[in-house]
Amino acid sequence: MALAEAGTRGRLLLWPRVVLFGDSITEFSFQENGWGSSLAERLVRKCDVVNRGVSGYNTRWAKLILPRLITRSTSAESTVAVTIFFGANDSALKDLNPKQHVPLEEYSANLKSMIQYLKSVDITEDRIILITPPPLQESAWEKECLAKGDKLNRHNATTGEYAQACVQVARDCGTDVLDLWTMMQKDEDFSSYLSDGLHLSTKGNSFLAAQLWSRLEKKLSALPSLLPYWRDVDHTNPEASLL
């Protein structure tokens, strides 16, 4: 059978998708042992995991680009989950990092704006998961800053205020939330979750992957495996199995 003919017989096979939207902690999530690649491995043959992480971005910039990433015409209806993972840059200290800093009230408003936008393109709140920034290990991050000739430009207590605001937005808007800032600090020494005081280590990636999967599993467990198992394909008449 010619490919053109097969194409007319079989309907277009659309993979559902999970969109990961965030800053560098999301952008780096497809690196070796990353939380995004772990999620993609779990969901192979069920849906695509799409990395839309943009290093260095804050919610002020994110809310501007979100409508360029997800629209009603570009498969919003096949988007089965979206993570929104910002705050590590918004919470930078204004006097030392004014470019990335976003005031706390605006951060909350920006998160709400993004949720409202997703709902406007028919991605309901039950498909949205907010993730708070992780805790900041100040001594390790200060070394990173000093190596670049800068002063320590973030404080863990300040990051915590943004994490609390993120949790409150989730409550107000009815979305799920993963409070990394609080959960990681249940360990007395949370520094092992971080590679440089800010970004996730292998252990931190594994922790986030496990926690996120516990929330996604119930949402996605009903998704069928796409295309039949190879042993179930009728080799005498593959068109009957595959089209």
Side-chain angles (χ1 to χ4, degrees), residues 86-96 101-105 107 132-136 138 152-166 181 185 198:
F86 289 94
N89 298 316
D90 298 70
S91 59
L93 303 177
K94 182 179 181 180
D95 54 338
L96 293 174
H101 169 80
V102 171
L104 187 60
E105 287 187 9
Y107 169 73
T132 76
L136 182 79
E138 292 181 14
L152 177 66
N153 57 18
R154 290 163 170 80
H155 289 154
N156 189 41
T158 305
T159 303
E161 294 174 6
Y162 284 72
Q164 290 169 10
C166 179
W181 190 85
Q185 289 184 97
L198 175 68

Side-chain angles (χ1 to χ4, degrees), residues 8-232:
T8 59
R9 283 189 55 185
R11 61 185 174 81
L12 183 63
L13 190 58
L14 291 175
W15 254 242
R17 63 182 198 156
V18 174
V19 179
L20 311 181
F21 186 40
D23 52 33
S24 57
I25 305 175
T26 297
E27 182 175 326
F28 301 162
S29 72
F30 272 43
Q31 293 178 351
E32 187 176 4
N33 300 314
W35 62 273
S37 56
S38 172
L39 188 60
E41 185 178 2
R42 284 183 183 271
L43 291 170
V44 70
R45 288 282 291 277
K46 291 199 167 188
C47 64
D48 289 333
V49 178
V50 180
N51 186 334
R52 292 293 179 262
V54 275
S55 179
Y57 276 50
N58 56 32
T59 57
R60 182 181 293 161
W61 304 344
K63 75 171 186 178
L64 296 177
I65 62 170
L66 180 59
R68 301 180 65 196
L69 303 177
I70 300 175
T71 68
R72 187 176 273 111
S73 62
T74 55
S75 64
E77 61 191 42
S78 70
T79 300
V80 291
V82 179
T83 60
I84 300 177
F85 187 4
F86 289 94
N89 298 316
D90 298 70
S91 59
L93 303 177
K94 182 179 181 180
D95 54 338
L96 293 174
N97 189 349
K99 182 163 187 168
Q100 291 179 301
H101 169 80
V102 171
L104 187 60
E105 287 187 9
E106 184 190 341
Y107 169 73
S108 295
N110 291 340
L111 289 177
K112 289 180 179 178
S113 175
M114 288 189 274
I115 292 168
Q116 288 302 123
Y117 172 74
L118 291 174
K119 289 171 65 177
S120 79
V121 295
D122 301 325
I123 297 175
T124 50
E125 50 266 81
D126 61 312
R127 287 188 272 164
I128 302 169
I129 301 176
L130 300 189
I131 306 175
T132 76
L136 182 79
Q137 215 287 317
E138 292 181 14
S139 59
W141 184 244
E142 186 172 27
K143 289 179 184 175
E144 296 289 320
C145 294
L146 290 173
K148 298 172 184 172
D150 299 325
K151 296 179 180 178
L152 177 66
N153 57 18
R154 290 163 170 80
H155 289 154
N156 189 41
T158 305
T159 303
E161 294 174 6
Y162 284 72
Q164 290 169 10
C166 179
V167 170
Q168 188 59 51
V169 168
R171 286 192 190 123
D172 293 345
C173 296
T175 71
D176 208 342
V177 64
L178 182 52
D179 185 359
L180 270 193
W181 190 85
T182 298
M183 296 170 77
M184 284 184 166
Q185 289 184 97
K186 288 180 179 175
D187 277 3
E188 285 187 27
D189 180 17
F190 63 86
S191 62
S192 61
Y193 289 121
L194 305 167
S195 62
D196 56 6
L198 175 68
H199 301 96
L200 301 182
S201 64
T202 297
K203 181 180 177 182
N205 273 283
S206 297
F207 180 84
L208 174 51
Q211 295 297 330
L212 184 57
W213 181 245
S214 72
R215 286 156 175 77
L216 282 173
E217 187 174 18
K218 59 182 178 288
K219 300 178 192 291
L220 305 181
S221 58
L223 287 175
S225 187
L226 294 162
L227 295 172
Y229 180 53
W230 71 271
R231 290 188 186 277
D232 297 330

